[in-house]
Amino acid sequence: MRETNSRRLHPAWIVAAVAFLALVGAAGFRAAPGVLMVPLQQEFGWSTTVLSAAVSINLVLFGLTAPFAAALMERFGVRAVTATALVLIGTGSALTVLVNQSWQILLTWGLLIGLGTGSMALVFAATIANTWFVRSRGLVIGILTAGSAAGQLVFLPFIALLAQDPGWRQASLLIAAGALAVVPLVLKFLKNSPADVGVLPYGEPALAGGVPAPEPPSHSGPRSNAAVRALQVLRRASRVRTFWALVAGFAICGATTNGLIGTHFIPSAHDHGMAETTAAGLLAVVGIFDIVGTIASGWLTDRFNPRILLAVYYQFRGIGLLVLPLLLSAEVQPSMIVFVVIYGLDWVATVPPTAAICRETFGADGSVVFGWVFAAHQLGAAAAALGAGAVRDATGQYTYAWFGAAAMCTVAAVISATIRRHAVAREPAPAGAPS
């Protein structure tokens, strides 16, 4: 491998920076449903359940696409899959402005954007970290995961303002523009692997005397089918108890973030008389502290037992959800600010320790295994988004949804704390797979 001057910036950091921007561009839609739900109801008269169903389809595809996307990245390269995903997100968001029937919102919000976001998401962050970094992997996953929070922070206030004046269609076009604007950077700077630029992964020591640089991996040669690869990894992982513990915990994580707060916090605050722009501003603050919390969690994951970190994160989240119904009101009280700060720090702080346990337990299969665990995250989110909408339609409020989610967080904390340390026999990864 070509040696790099220690004073020069390692190419891995350039790739990580572009990956961060890609995640920011893709995150626009994550901020949209909660803001756009009320304007769509007012214009078309659709129920909360109908719009929650569109979000649920999105979240299901967001999750189920992830493990196959990880395998596709191994076969065709990170750059091609990421660019395609951003185009799908941009197309789905742009087409939303044409909807006038409820099934059309299921197609745009659900199918197109769900496939696009699922092809990137958190499995993209894990793949970049595992492929390009040996040292500071937890920190890098934390930084990249914070990209989604940064996207929420960047887009949410503007989406909220546009949704009111001139209207939700302009907000949808903003989301499309954000996703498509990153595509040229991805195509130019997002390299597939260190071999593409003749370097070792960041932090991997070179052999004494140097070694010849391998040929960059070809993404057109014969390789295992991506779908087969993803299913084979699932079969191997499903025999390990740790996998099911991570699946259960991450399903609850998704239910209590994207599913509930991400989708229903603004409508719930609106029920209590709070202006939508004010509630959107609170979610933007969640995004600010999410960046801090996720990066800090990555740093902690490199130094402490990730199982204990997960247990602490889930339990603090449960306490926050338990008191949330008491905090919602027409005006923002200091106690609500405290909730927003704590919930923001904890929002996706679970990602770095979960990815670390996947890598520790499953080795070369770790990125694809994390894709399947993330699928559970989004299935949990989808169930919670739909279930909370149904609770709101049936009872006129979200209180029971918040209490149920708090109880689930305690379950996740117990499960996480009891994950055992062990190694498993690992089958070799296919040629060209990131390790």
Side-chain angles (χ1 to χ4, degrees):
M1 281 290 180
R2 186 179 76 227
E3 294 184 3
T4 58
N5 188 320
S6 59
R7 290 173 292 183
R8 292 176 54 194
L9 183 66
H10 193 284
W13 292 109
I14 298 174
V15 169
V18 175
F20 181 90
L21 291 176
L23 286 163
V24 170
F29 181 78
R30 301 265 61 83
V35 176
L36 302 185
M37 193 173 288
V38 173
L40 284 166
Q41 286 177 314
Q42 291 173 344
E43 179 168 339
F44 298 109
W46 298 334
S47 69
T48 303
T49 302
V50 167
L51 292 171
S52 297
V55 176
S56 294
I57 292 171
N58 174 280
L59 293 172
V60 167
L61 290 175
F62 190 4
L64 292 181
T65 305
F68 297 98
L72 285 169
M73 288 177 186
E74 292 177 358
R75 177 171 172 79
F76 297 108
V78 175
R79 178 170 51 200
V81 174
T82 303
T84 301
L86 289 167
V87 170
L88 279 173
I89 296 168
T91 301
S93 298
L95 289 176
T96 300
V97 304
L98 304 177
V99 303
N100 52 37
Q101 300 292 327
S102 59
W103 66 266
Q104 294 168 341
I105 203 73
L106 303 180
L107 177 65
T108 56
W109 276 19
L111 180 63
L112 290 177
I113 300 177
L115 289 173
T117 53
S119 296
M120 289 181 55
L122 303 184
V123 71
F124 172 60
T127 299
I128 292 293
N130 290 342
T131 302
W132 281 89
F133 292 85
V134 171
R135 189 166 70 237
S136 301
R137 277 177 174 166
L139 177 62
V140 170
I141 291 177
I143 292 171
L144 293 182
T145 303
S148 294
Q152 181 185 43
L153 173 64
V154 168
F155 285 100
L156 186 54
F158 296 103
I159 292 173
L161 289 172
L162 289 174
Q164 288 195 334
D165 184 19
W168 64 267
R169 289 176 177 82
Q170 284 71 21
S172 294
L173 291 176
L174 173 65
I175 297 166
L180 296 175
V182 191
V183 173
L185 293 175
V186 168
L187 293 175
K188 183 171 179 60
F189 295 109
L190 189 64
K191 306 301 182 182
N192 293 316
S193 74
D196 285 353
V197 290
V199 299
L200 293 168
Y202 178 76
E204 181 171 312
L207 296 177
V211 293
E215 291 296 320
S218 169
H219 299 293
S220 59
R223 289 187 177 182
S224 61
N225 180 276
V228 172
R229 160 91 169 122
L231 293 172
Q232 288 173 339
V233 170
L234 175 62
R235 186 178 67 248
R236 291 196 289 270
S238 65
R239 300 168 184 160
V240 182
R241 183 178 298 177
T242 295
F243 172 75
W244 294 110
L246 293 173
V247 162
F250 230 41
I252 293 171
C253 179
T256 52
T257 51
N258 301 93
L260 281 175
I261 296 293
T263 305
H264 293 288
F265 177 80
I266 294 176
S268 180
H270 185 264
D271 286 346
H272 287 77
M274 185 180 292
E276 293 169 46
T277 50
T278 302
L282 290 173
L283 276 187
V285 175
V286 169
I288 294 173
F289 285 94
D290 183 13
I291 296 171
V292 177
T294 307
I295 294 175
S297 178
W299 184 86
L300 290 169
T301 299
D302 287 331
R303 291 161 176 79
F304 299 101
N305 185 344
R307 296 153 184 81
I308 301 304
L309 294 177
L310 284 176
V312 171
Y313 297 158
Y314 285 129
Q315 193 56 64
F316 268 99
R317 186 180 300 177
I319 293 170
L321 288 167
L322 188 64
V323 302
L324 178 59
L326 305 176
L327 307 180
L328 289 167
S329 64
E331 301 295 330
V332 178
Q333 304 297 330
S335 55
M336 175 58 76
I337 299 298
V338 173
F339 168 84
V340 165
V341 170
I342 294 175
Y343 216 86
L345 291 172
D346 192 67
W347 183 262
V348 285
T350 55
V351 172
T354 300
I357 295 171
C358 288
R359 185 175 63 250
E360 169 192 312
T361 306
F362 300 100
D365 288 340
S367 292
V368 181
V369 170
F370 182 71
W372 284 112
V373 173
F374 180 70
H377 182 281
Q378 296 310 109
L379 290 174
L386 185 59
V391 167
R392 167 63 178 79
D393 284 341
T395 67
Q397 58 186 358
Y398 286 98
T399 302
Y400 292 126
W402 304 132
F403 287 163
M408 289 192 297
C409 284
T410 298
V411 173
V414 173
I415 291 173
S416 300
T418 55
I419 295 175
R420 294 180 299 174
R421 287 182 179 272
H422 63 90
V424 298
R426 299 169 185 135
E427 299 180 26
S435 59

